[in-house]
Amino acid sequence: LDPVFGELYAGLEALAELLKKNKFLRVLSLRSNRIKAEVDDTMQEWDAVDEVEAARSSIVGEETEDGVTQPPNPDDVELAVKQAEDAIQQFGADTQLYKFMDPFRKYHRIVTLDLGANLLGDAGAKIVAAALEKNRSVRHLDLSDNEINLRGIVHLTRLVSRNSTITTLVLAKNQIKQRRRSAKAMKITVAQLSAFSEALTQTMSVTTLDISDMNLGAVAGAAILSAFARTAITALRCGGNELCAAPIVRAPRKRRA
């Protein structure tokens, strides 16, 4: 119960009020509380392109009478990027999860945030990642066992490329499942996991990474480890991924004549 306005809060909203008013809490664990996003990610499951980059590349220049395409207008590109950024920050604004994460944009107190063993999914990863982009206190983030798939990795890629505070990131037991075992699906998976690996080199803040039991396999595992030689990683947990297993990729079906 809010002592000033007499409003009754429950669940994640009550915790959000706690985050706003408690100046001493540093460790918050909410494991196994069935926390979910209550909203679907608008992007396609296997679309490995960040929304901001998609917006940036969608702006093209005008074609002249000679058939030459001019460079895009910088103002149009800036506007498209800003709209994409705003959409990401407002994604799921009516959900309990968003209301819980929103204080992390303003209050920089919690050092350890454990959301493991919940039901966040890709949409939940998007809400959490957006809220923590500019947070300056959370150093240990645990998102293990949350049904986060490739789209969620897209959002976490953006997070690790922009946040310079997080030092420990736990993603264990978020199995990267491929519904279609095809060369195209594997190519998309490799591209996004490579982008995640590359993002770790940008802020050089993450020193401990747990990607164990993510069902990566040899090819995807190599992709996520591709840039690690240039990161600040000092502790890596990657057991249970069958990194030495032979990849299984189905050949494209031949069309009947």
Side-chain angles (χ1 to χ4, degrees), residues 97-128:
L97 179 59
Y98 183 96
K99 293 173 182 176
F100 165 70
M101 291 301 305
D102 195 42
F104 286 90
R105 292 179 167 88
K106 181 178 180 181
Y107 302 98
H108 309 277
R109 299 166 183 158
I110 297 294
V111 176
T112 298
L113 178 60
D114 185 354
L115 296 174
N118 282 294
L119 304 169
L120 294 180
D122 293 341
K126 184 175 184 177
I127 293 173
V128 172

Side-chain angles (χ1 to χ4, degrees), residues 101-192:
M101 291 301 305
D102 195 42
F104 286 90
R105 292 179 167 88
K106 181 178 180 181
Y107 302 98
H108 309 277
R109 299 166 183 158
I110 297 294
V111 176
T112 298
L113 178 60
D114 185 354
L115 296 174
N118 282 294
L119 304 169
L120 294 180
D122 293 341
K126 184 175 184 177
I127 293 173
V128 172
L132 293 178
E133 275 189 16
K134 297 181 180 179
N135 181 275
R136 301 189 304 274
S137 65
V138 174
R139 298 183 62 190
H140 307 279
L141 177 62
D142 190 336
L143 298 176
S144 61
D145 195 11
N146 261 294
E147 302 178 2
I148 296 173
N149 210 329
L150 192 64
R151 276 301 309 162
I153 297 298
V154 172
H155 309 309
L156 295 175
T157 298
R158 184 171 55 249
L159 172 62
V160 298
S161 69
R162 299 185 179 194
N163 182 293
S164 58
T165 305
I166 296 173
T167 60
T168 299
L169 180 59
V170 182
L171 300 176
K173 297 183 179 180
N174 286 298
Q175 297 196 357
I176 305 300
K177 300 176 181 177
Q178 293 183 346
R179 293 184 178 179
R180 301 182 302 276
R181 288 189 174 184
S182 64
K184 181 179 180 181
M186 180 60 73
K187 183 178 180 180
I188 294 172
T189 301
V190 168
Q192 186 48 52

